[in-house]
Amino acid sequence: MTSELDIFVGNTTLIDEEVYRLWLDGYSVSDAVALRVRAGILEQTGATAAVLQSDTMDHYRTFHMLERLLHAPPKLLHQLVFQIPPSRQALLIERYYAFDEAFVREVLGKKLSKGTKKDLDDISAKTGITLKSCRRQFDNFKRVFKVVEEMRGSLADNIQQHFLFSDRLARDYAAIVFFANNRFETAKKKLQYLSFGDFAFCAELMIQNWTLGAVGEAPSKPDSQVDDMDMDLDKEFLQDLKELKVLVADKDLLDLHKSLVCTALRGKLGVFSEMEANFKNLSRGLVNVAAKLTHNKDVRDLFVDLVEKVHLGPQFVEPCRSDHWPLGDVRLFLNQYSVTVHSLDGFRHQALWDRYMDTLRGCLLRLYHD
């Protein structure tokens, strides 16, 4: 008598998301096993400690083999060794390149160099993130930076194309790369209240309005000399910003600007008297920031200048905080302050003003926590 037996053989690579998280977080196999035991997996599955140890080690070996492919995500899609469904491939990539808020705030705006990497021990101790995880995140930032730094075109699109990130993660990495390239200061004590999301929001505005990519075409010079479109700030635009000083240097323009803003906001602003009394200082602060952006050091200190009362005098955020301006009043003031410039007959730099102020207004509203 003969029997028929159907046999199915599969080689789909199994990915345990929890073990993957432990591996990404930098835990050793023994630590990962202990954490899984503590989470109650033995009771849930009926497995023995030996089986759990073997299972964890097997997953870790798989992740180590996948890691070289994760360094260049398109290779993961096209390789034939590991049979992984597309949805799982996307999960592996997205989580491998995910980062901790506490970690990115420590390195944001710093040069992605060996010098910064030497500080990872201190960052690990300060944040409680394992050193191995800190190294992975730092190396990911540096890897993406190196791949896209010479590319023309949209920074976020280039990152998404070469690393297969989700739209949100690509935009976050664009902010990290942009800040690293321009070396914006983010570590000062006065800036510690700001989150990575706050800085990423501002980075997106600056990329859209203040870079070479924002003007739609590169300057007329050989390709080898053309700056990266979304990586670098438009130097010609920054130099032109000094023309805005006329708004505070010309007394007639300054007085007319104040009169227009006060007329528009009378009866609408809860802090009207404070605004009226401090208008000239606030205007000088906003315009002085523009004039200072002609120097690299002052570009790096942009966020410090917006928030602090620096040696040039009061800027914006701190003076408004001191007078207890609610966010709604800040928004009303900045909107009217920006738009009324178009009614100043003696002012000849409207397009430059809009390109500068549209971004600055958005950043200030994001930085202002009343």
Side-chain angles (χ1 to χ4, degrees):
M1 182 178 176
T2 60
S3 299
E4 291 185 0
L5 183 66
D6 292 328
I7 298 175
F8 173 79
V9 178
N11 65 342
T12 300
T13 302
L14 299 177
I15 304 295
D16 186 304
E17 293 183 33
E18 178 60 22
V19 181
Y20 187 48
R21 182 187 65 78
L22 294 170
W23 179 73
L24 290 175
D25 286 346
Y27 292 106
S28 65
V29 171
S30 58
D31 288 340
V33 169
L35 288 167
R36 297 182 78 190
V37 169
R38 201 175 304 158
I41 193 166
L42 295 182
E43 292 79 8
Q44 295 165 18
T45 64
T48 65
V51 168
L52 182 62
Q53 175 83 11
S54 178
D55 177 70
T56 305
M57 288 183 65
D58 186 53
H59 279 296
Y60 268 50
R61 277 193 294 268
T62 299
F63 300 147
H64 282 302
M65 288 187 286
L66 286 169
E67 188 164 23
R68 63 180 179 82
L69 299 172
L70 288 165
H71 289 172
K75 291 183 178 179
L76 179 65
L77 269 64
H78 300 124
Q79 56 79 37
L80 301 175
V81 176
F82 301 97
Q83 301 302 307
I84 305 173
S87 61
R88 282 303 205 192
Q89 291 176 342
L91 179 144
L92 287 170
I93 294 166
E94 199 80 357
R95 294 195 181 175
Y96 186 80
Y97 284 91
F99 52 83
D100 292 292
E101 163 87 18
F103 177 77
V104 74
R105 275 298 279 114
E106 291 295 321
V107 301
L108 189 65
K110 293 182 179 178
K111 191 173 182 180
L112 300 174
S113 63
K114 291 181 180 178
T116 303
K117 195 167 186 178
K118 290 178 182 178
D119 297 333
L120 295 185
D121 285 308
D122 294 335
I123 293 174
S124 173
K126 179 179 178 180
T127 61
I129 300 167
T130 65
L131 181 58
K132 189 173 182 180
S133 181
C134 287
R135 286 174 177 160
R136 173 183 59 80
Q137 294 178 60
F138 180 85
D139 288 343
N140 285 346
F141 296 163
K142 187 173 182 178
R143 183 180 308 111
V144 173
F145 184 98
K146 289 293 183 184
V147 168
V148 302
E149 65 175 328
E150 301 296 338
M151 291 182 180
R152 302 277 298 280
S154 166
L155 186 54
D157 288 350
N158 287 337
I159 292 171
Q160 196 164 31
Q161 179 182 346
H162 286 81
F163 289 91
L164 310 179
F165 292 170
S166 66
D167 179 66
R168 179 67 268 167
L169 188 61
R171 287 158 61 192
D172 283 346
Y173 266 80
I176 292 166
V177 168
F178 181 72
F179 265 65
N181 185 62
N182 292 287
R183 307 283 299 282
F184 290 109
E185 173 61 61
T186 66
K188 289 286 183 70
K189 186 176 180 180
K190 284 280 189 178
L191 302 178
Q192 290 305 302
Y193 76 97
L194 297 171
S195 67
F196 168 72
D198 294 330
F199 286 115
F201 178 86
C202 295
E204 198 162 334
L205 287 178
M206 286 188 281
I207 289 170
Q208 289 170 358
N209 295 304
W210 289 4
T211 63
L212 287 169
V215 296
E217 58 182 65
S220 54
K221 52 184 177 180
D223 286 346
S224 61
Q225 299 176 29
V226 172
D227 292 331
D228 305 299
M229 299 292 278
D230 272 4
M231 291 273 282
D232 295 307
L233 293 167
D234 182 351
K235 293 182 176 62
E236 186 175 335
F237 161 70
L238 296 182
Q239 289 297 320
D240 288 345
L241 288 176
K242 62 181 180 290
E243 302 294 340
L244 301 182
K245 287 210 73 171
V246 68
L247 286 171
V248 293
D250 185 315
K251 186 178 184 302
D252 291 337
L253 274 182
L254 180 59
D255 289 342
L256 179 57
H257 193 191
K258 176 181 178 180
S259 175
L260 290 171
V261 172
C262 290
T263 299
L265 293 179
R266 195 177 305 276
K268 299 177 182 178
L269 211 63
V271 290
F272 180 84
S273 59
E274 291 87 348
M275 182 276 295
E276 186 176 32
N278 292 321
F279 179 88
K280 293 183 180 180
N281 282 334
L282 292 172
S283 188
R284 288 191 184 99
L286 293 170
V287 173
N288 281 340
V289 167
K292 288 179 65 184
L293 291 178
T294 56
H295 307 290
N296 288 338
K297 173 64 169 64
D298 293 317
V299 170
R300 294 175 186 174
D301 286 339
L302 171 64
F303 295 99
V304 178
D305 289 345
L306 291 178
V307 171
E308 288 189 328
K309 292 181 179 178
V310 294
H311 65 282
L312 286 177
Q315 298 301 299
F316 190 81
V317 174
E318 278 293 304
C320 291
R321 274 204 196 127
S322 298
D323 284 338
H324 307 291
W325 286 42
L327 180 59
D329 281 3
V330 173
R331 181 177 288 106
L332 278 173
F333 170 75
L334 286 174
N335 288 343
Q336 286 300 323
Y337 178 81
S338 300
V339 75
T340 49
V341 165
H342 290 272
S343 299
L344 300 176
D345 291 336
F347 186 64
R348 297 287 181 264
H349 308 286
Q350 307 289 0
L352 179 69
W353 172 255
D354 288 344
R355 188 177 174 189
Y356 168 68
M357 201 61 201
D358 285 352
T359 293
L360 197 74
R361 180 174 62 237
C363 288
L364 285 169
L365 291 173
R366 184 67 185 237
L367 299 180
Y368 192 82
H369 295 197
D370 56 352

